[in-house]
Amino acid sequence: MKYLLPAATLSLLMAGVAAPALAQSAPDWSGPYVGIYGGAVDNKENDGETLVFDRNLDGVFGETVTTSGGADAFAPGFCGGRAQSNEAVTGCLGDDTGVEGSIRAGYDWQFGSIVAGIVAEWSAVDLSDTATGFSSTPANYVFNREINDMAALRARVGYAMGPALIYATGGAAYAGVDNSFSTTNTANSFTTTRDEDDADGWQAGAGLEWRLAPNLSVTGEYLYTSLNTGDYVVRAGNNGTTPATNPFILAPNTAGTDIARSSDEMELHAFRIGMNVRF
């Protein structure tokens, strides 16, 4: 009898400890939440990207800019990144990995072990995507686009296992893009169509959210983003002293030549960590 009381007491204590632990290991994911996130974002360089040309200004790109002797004026070639000099042989510097910081708000519904929800997000982004062409002058022609902010609306579906939620996410994305152009060519004038553009696209990814406390969780996430940035066109024309033999204004199309990047797509890879507060 003297052993039964301590044993019963020990059993009650173990049950008292186990109950909160069990409750903590299987939280309810239903309800609203807000979160902050940060991480690195990398632009997938398009090694085959070039500059394309509309020589007769009919809106169709893909023509060749030739010298007065009939040679390809851009025979030195193209590269992804920013030119290091006027000469193609020196190559280009690749774009640096960018950074982003995000805020989000979402709502989840739990059905057994399945958790489904929707999340809206806004991110401040610092990321560049650059392409360069080299003419035989020699001269370089550098096109750059920068993403400064991005918004997204995604669905999220996951599987809850104790304090962990493994999930996949996907939806629509929108970004604001700043375009710029620079060149070492001083023989021509250069005008641009627009400096700012809107980019539409989609996102998909996956992550792991871990409940630290009843209303607090930490998350690790990978997110892929595909964006269509639209056309950014630069016109090379006569600056008043440009010779008639200049490839960009060579007769019979003396009004100039439109230049653009061969790709208006951006593919981004982001790795993030964040924290959510649930209500």
Side-chain angles (χ1 to χ4, degrees):
M1 186 70 175
K2 63 181 179 179
Y3 296 108
L4 290 179
L5 184 57
T9 302
L10 180 60
S11 298
L12 290 173
L13 288 173
M14 292 182 63
V17 172
L22 182 60
Q24 174 63 18
S25 66
D28 182 8
W29 295 92
S30 297
Y33 64 91
V34 295
I36 56 173
Y37 286 71
V41 56
D42 186 55
N43 174 55
K44 181 182 179 183
E45 294 283 359
N46 187 346
D47 294 333
E49 187 173 10
T50 67
L51 304 186
V52 290
F53 307 94
D54 177 11
R55 186 70 185 86
N56 58 11
L57 306 182
D58 63 353
V60 179
F61 290 83
E63 297 159 3
T64 301
V65 176
T66 59
T67 65
S68 57
D72 184 352
F74 280 80
F78 310 90
C79 63
R82 186 173 295 276
Q84 299 193 76
S85 74
N86 285 343
E87 302 282 353
V89 293
T90 61
C92 292
L93 292 173
D95 297 314
D96 294 332
T97 298
V99 295
E100 67 171 333
S102 307
I103 55 175
R104 68 173 56 169
Y107 198 100
D108 287 326
W109 294 267
Q110 185 164 357
F111 309 94
S113 296
I114 303 300
V115 178
I118 190 167
V119 57
E121 183 175 76
W122 179 86
S123 303
V125 185
D126 183 7
L127 179 71
S128 294
D129 178 27
T130 313
T132 296
F134 295 94
S135 66
S136 53
T137 314
N140 63 51
Y141 306 78
V142 181
F143 282 72
N144 181 61
R145 52 195 174 203
E146 295 184 357
I147 296 180
N148 295 319
D149 67 300
M150 185 159 48
L153 182 64
R154 300 189 304 271
R156 191 171 83 145
V157 178
Y159 186 81
M161 298 183 297
L165 175 65
I166 301 172
Y167 65 87
T169 184
Y174 164 89
V177 179
D178 289 338
N179 294 292
S180 62
F181 170 79
S182 64
T183 180
T184 56
N185 176 337
T186 58
N188 295 90
S189 64
F190 294 90
T191 57
T192 60
T193 54
R194 52 187 174 181
D195 295 333
E196 297 181 358
D197 208 344
D198 298 330
D200 298 314
W202 56 273
Q203 293 181 329
L208 171 65
E209 185 172 354
W210 187 275
R211 190 70 70 92
L212 297 175
N215 65 337
L216 187 66
S217 61
V218 64
T219 301
E221 182 178 80
Y222 163 77
L223 199 62
Y224 170 84
T225 305
S226 176
L227 294 171
N228 186 316
T229 61
D231 295 328
Y232 174 63
V233 179
V234 174
R235 179 165 296 181
N238 191 332
N239 69 4
T241 61
T242 309
T245 56
N246 182 276
F248 291 122
I249 62 168
L250 196 63
N253 302 310
T254 59
T257 299
D258 281 350
I259 314 170
R261 301 175 67 148
S262 62
S263 174
D264 58 5
E265 299 290 333
M266 291 186 71
E267 298 182 16
L268 312 181
H269 301 271
F271 296 90
R272 306 158 146 190
I273 57 173
M275 184 166 288
N276 293 328
V277 176
R278 293 182 170 270
F279 304 97

